[in-house]
Amino acid sequence: MKIRTLGATGPRVSALGLGLMGMSDFYGPTDEGESLATIHAALDAGVTLLDTGDFYGMGRNELLLREALRGRDRDSVTISVKFGAQRDPAGNWLGYDARPAAVKTALAYSLNRLGTDYIDIYRPARLDPSVPIEETVGAIAELVQAGYVRHIGLSEVGAATLRRAQAVHPIADLQIEYSLLYRGIEKEILPTARELGIGVTAYGVLTRGLLSGHWTAGRELTAADFRAAGPRFQGEHLERNLALVEALRKIAAQRNITVAQAAIGWVASRGEDIVPLVGARRRDRLAEALGAADLALAEQDLAAIEAAVPAGAASGERYPVGQLHSLDSEG
């Protein structure tokens, strides 16, 4: 497994990371046994970056990760944790809380659930509009000073917020969606991150399965699967997006790789400061994604991929309108 460094001050991690969200929440029924086996397979393959959130499964995802790391060398993995999202017992969203006291309380619970003395990268899941980013980052900086956190990260924030946060404490990485179907960060956010020496961990590289090459037009989604409300998975939007996938499939087949590997490989090719997060929930999907880790896409390969899925070609927004308007990165 190749290694990349997250920004100027961040940790060295595997060139592909594993996002654990779908193992506990948001994508319908889960299988804990298969999830554990998938995490173990990732670790055995050299994946060191594991991403979770304290609100994934209302803490269940962190407990799953604790179990997966039982008997493993804690210092050999980089655990990234998002916090701040507020949910009620039914799982409904209540907003975000990134006040300094809430930051420290959330960390205490995460340390306990994960069974660890420190978290490698700690980040607010979104910008709390009622709390200046300086206060949130300042609170995490105190936790860094105390040894409970190694690095500070951010998620889905815009260029101006990156600058304000970096002025308080070095930011290791920005976690943000980036894929062939969403290239919005290229205009301002990515150049700013690079100017400031901030790495990028790219989630949604397969657009929540849409770019996996396994999605079909007739697939039925359960009420527990948040993709059912995603504009890109509905009606004519889905038809147009699947047409793009088929165009990509032809390019991938010519190079003897899969659609997913082409999509992941494209993101990885955008710079050594970018680490794609794959959300594989099963060992077979993980094995396919890992095949992208050693891809060396030539310039003509990348040009063919971008011709199949041009910038701005995606149909439908990446989130429902209400959620989209709450993202600082879309401001």
Side-chain angles (χ1 to χ4, degrees):
M1 176 63 68
K2 296 176 182 177
I3 300 297
R4 292 187 172 184
T5 301
L6 289 178
T9 62
R12 288 174 57 78
V13 299
S14 52
L16 288 180
L18 182 63
L20 309 185
M21 181 186 78
M23 296 180 179
S24 301
D25 215 344
F26 302 115
Y27 288 161
T30 60
D31 182 331
E32 183 172 322
E34 182 62 24
S35 295
L36 289 170
T38 301
I39 298 172
H40 289 157
L43 294 171
D44 293 341
V47 173
T48 63
L49 177 59
L50 303 173
D51 181 75
T52 183
D54 62 11
F55 53 96
Y56 294 168
M58 317 300 277
R60 290 195 307 274
N61 203 242
E62 289 179 316
L63 293 172
L64 175 75
L65 181 53
R66 176 178 183 159
E67 181 61 28
L69 294 178
R70 192 180 302 276
R72 301 268 179 163
D73 178 11
R74 165 67 183 92
D75 293 334
S76 69
V77 297
T78 298
I79 299 176
S80 166
V81 178
K82 290 183 290 298
F83 71 90
Q86 304 296 292
R87 302 175 71 184
D88 68 15
N92 299 310
W93 299 102
L94 303 174
Y96 297 91
D97 189 350
R99 294 171 299 165
V103 171
K104 296 174 181 179
T105 300
L107 178 77
Y109 280 99
S110 284
L111 291 172
N112 186 57
R113 283 189 293 262
L114 289 164
T116 184
D117 296 328
Y118 67 94
I119 288 173
D120 298 278
I121 311 174
Y122 201 52
R123 71 182 82 242
R126 297 287 187 269
L127 180 68
D128 183 342
S130 64
V131 180
I133 192 63
E134 290 85 353
E135 293 184 13
T136 301
V137 170
I140 307 176
E142 292 178 10
L143 296 169
V144 172
Q145 186 67 29
Y148 295 118
V149 172
R150 296 283 172 85
H151 303 279
I152 301 177
L154 293 172
S155 179
E156 286 289 353
V157 300
T161 301
L162 278 180
R163 293 187 186 282
R164 290 170 56 193
Q166 181 78 353
V168 176
H169 187 279
I171 303 299
D173 72 316
L174 169 66
Q175 190 174 117
I176 195 164
E177 186 170 355
Y178 190 31
S179 73
L180 281 166
L181 290 182
Y182 179 69
R183 299 175 60 174
I185 72 169
E186 293 177 345
K187 181 178 180 180
E188 185 178 12
I189 294 175
L190 183 56
T192 300
R194 286 175 167 162
E195 174 194 335
L196 298 174
I198 298 172
V200 170
T201 43
Y203 77 86
V205 293
L206 296 181
T207 312
R208 300 164 183 84
L210 191 55
L211 278 174
S212 68
H214 304 293
W215 202 275
T216 59
R219 179 170 175 175
E220 295 185 4
L221 299 175
T222 67
D225 192 323
F226 86 119
R227 291 172 294 192
R232 293 183 175 173
F233 292 85
Q234 298 178 20
E236 293 184 0
H237 289 316
L238 178 60
E239 292 179 14
R240 295 189 188 112
N241 291 327
L242 288 180
L244 295 172
V245 173
E246 290 311 305
L248 182 59
R249 193 187 305 277
K250 293 178 182 178
I251 302 301
Q254 293 171 2
R255 286 147 182 81
N256 200 30
I257 59 178
T258 69
V259 173
Q261 288 167 348
I264 297 168
W266 179 85
V267 174
S269 77
R270 306 308 286 173
E272 289 291 319
D273 53 350
I274 297 174
V275 175
L277 293 174
V278 296
R281 298 193 293 165
R282 298 176 357 210
R283 283 167 285 179
D284 59 339
R285 295 288 192 258
L286 172 69
E288 181 182 12
L290 290 174
D294 294 323
L295 277 183
L297 294 170
E299 286 300 322
Q300 59 266 34
D301 297 326
L302 295 171
I305 289 171
E306 293 193 26
V309 188
S315 185
E317 299 288 355
R318 61 185 180 121
Y319 284 107
V321 174
Q323 295 181 37
L324 201 64
H325 288 167
S326 69
L327 293 177
D328 183 63
S329 53
E330 294 286 341

